[in-house]
Amino acid sequence: EAQVTQNPRYLITVTGKKLTVTCSQNMNHEYMSWYRQDPGLGLRQIYYSMNVEVTDKGDVPEGYKVSRKEKRNFPLILESPSPNQTSLYFCASSLIWTISKGLYGYTFGSGTRLTVV
Amino acid sequence: DQQVKQNSPSLSVQEGRISILNCDYTNSMFDYFLWYKKYPAEGPTFLISISSIKDKNEDGRFTVFLNKSAKHLSLHIVPSQPGDSAVYFCAASAGNQFYFGTGTSLTVIP
């Protein structure tokens, strides 16, 4: 089944303790992205990657890191989480971005609900 | 500043009637507009899209209308079904990024 898989689904952590949320897709998609969803703010883009070893900042990149060493994986790293990073996070992927974005949009993962206390 | 806005947080419609979800945007450089549907505990799923060079796109019960002069986008669902009850996000793309609205929660009453 074609899908984007995020882990974990739920995570409670303490301020300052480094964590990684994994994201993997099995569709050979070039483009991958991370979003956070907050009440009243919709989905905001954190980082995106056009292809392996190519990453760019989205609208809210502060406090996050990403890497794209392989095509299928795009982990989100919080080096020192803070309570304002408590949110619902989505990973998404898309085929060749410039061609497909208007036709297929993204395939999203099921989300990771992160709570930082 | 929110470039894509959905001003109605919620909408209730009787089964069989038309649902109209609205979206406004500010950036005239957007080239594609999309609608996503989201059920609880799931990621958003792509529903329908429209290019900025068109004013209408239809797919089954779903039709998206684009009014570029008004910078307004709408999604029509006819007829509405209880399974359509979900949160609907509109999104617009410029360059390598998508910008999402805040969502409208649709409830279709049987």
Side-chain angles (χ1 to χ4, degrees):
Chain A
E1 181 188 353
Q3 60 185 0
V4 176
T5 303
Q6 293 178 231
N7 280 298
R9 290 293 305 273
Y10 302 92
L11 179 59
I12 301 174
T13 190
V14 295
T15 299
K17 185 177 181 182
K18 180 179 179 180
L19 67 91
T20 299
V21 183
T22 63
C23 174
S24 180
Q25 50 92 6
N26 62 0
M27 296 166 283
N28 202 36
H29 283 174
E30 282 80 10
Y31 185 100
M32 297 185 75
S33 185
W34 277 102
Y35 283 84
R36 60 178 288 174
Q37 182 187 358
D38 301 289
L41 295 175
L43 289 116
R44 294 179 294 166
Q45 191 171 43
I46 302 170
Y47 269 95
Y48 64 95
S49 169
M50 300 291 287
N51 214 324
V52 176
E53 302 293 0
V54 180
T55 62
D56 274 299
K57 296 178 181 178
D59 292 325
V60 288
E62 296 78 20
Y64 304 95
K65 284 176 57 177
V66 292
S67 68
R68 188 91 182 272
K69 293 184 172 57
E70 310 163 275
K71 199 173 195 178
R72 62 183 292 125
N73 296 323
F74 191 45
L76 179 69
I77 303 155
L78 284 73
E79 294 271 2
S80 183
S82 62
N84 65 11
Q85 292 178 298
T86 293
S87 187
L88 178 59
Y89 291 86
F90 290 102
C91 180
S93 73
S94 177
L95 202 51
I96 302 171
W97 179 248
T98 51
I99 297 173
S100 73
K101 64 176 177 177
L103 296 175
Y104 311 117
Y106 288 122
T107 300
F108 278 90
S110 298
T112 296
R113 186 165 292 282
L114 172 65
T115 302
V116 184
V117 298
Chain B
D1 187 32
Q2 197 82 15
Q3 298 191 51
V4 178
K5 298 178 184 178
Q6 293 177 259
N7 293 317
S8 299
S10 63
L11 175 68
S12 291
V13 171
Q14 286 290 134
E15 180 179 3
R17 306 294 288 268
I18 184 172
S19 296
I20 300 175
L21 296 98
N22 294 304
C23 181
D24 297 298
Y25 62 95
T26 57
N27 188 344
S28 58
M29 298 302 292
F30 287 143
D31 53 358
Y32 285 99
F33 301 87
L34 296 84
W35 285 94
Y36 286 85
K37 178 179 178 179
K38 184 182 181 304
Y39 292 118
E42 295 182 11
T45 55
F46 171 72
L47 196 57
I48 191 169
S49 66
I50 187 168
S51 163
S52 60
I53 62 172
K54 295 186 175 182
D55 54 19
K56 178 182 175 181
N57 189 28
E58 195 171 349
D59 184 2
R61 295 186 298 115
F62 302 92
T63 303
V64 57
F65 294 93
L66 176 62
N67 182 334
K68 283 193 299 254
S69 60
K71 293 191 174 66
H72 180 78
L73 184 71
S74 64
L75 174 68
H76 292 210
I77 306 174
V78 183
S80 300
Q81 299 174 352
D84 296 329
S85 296
V87 176
Y88 289 79
F89 290 97
C90 68
S93 73
N96 295 326
Q97 292 184 252
F98 267 124
Y99 300 87
F100 283 80
T102 51
T104 296
S105 178
L106 172 66
T107 302
V108 179
I109 303 163

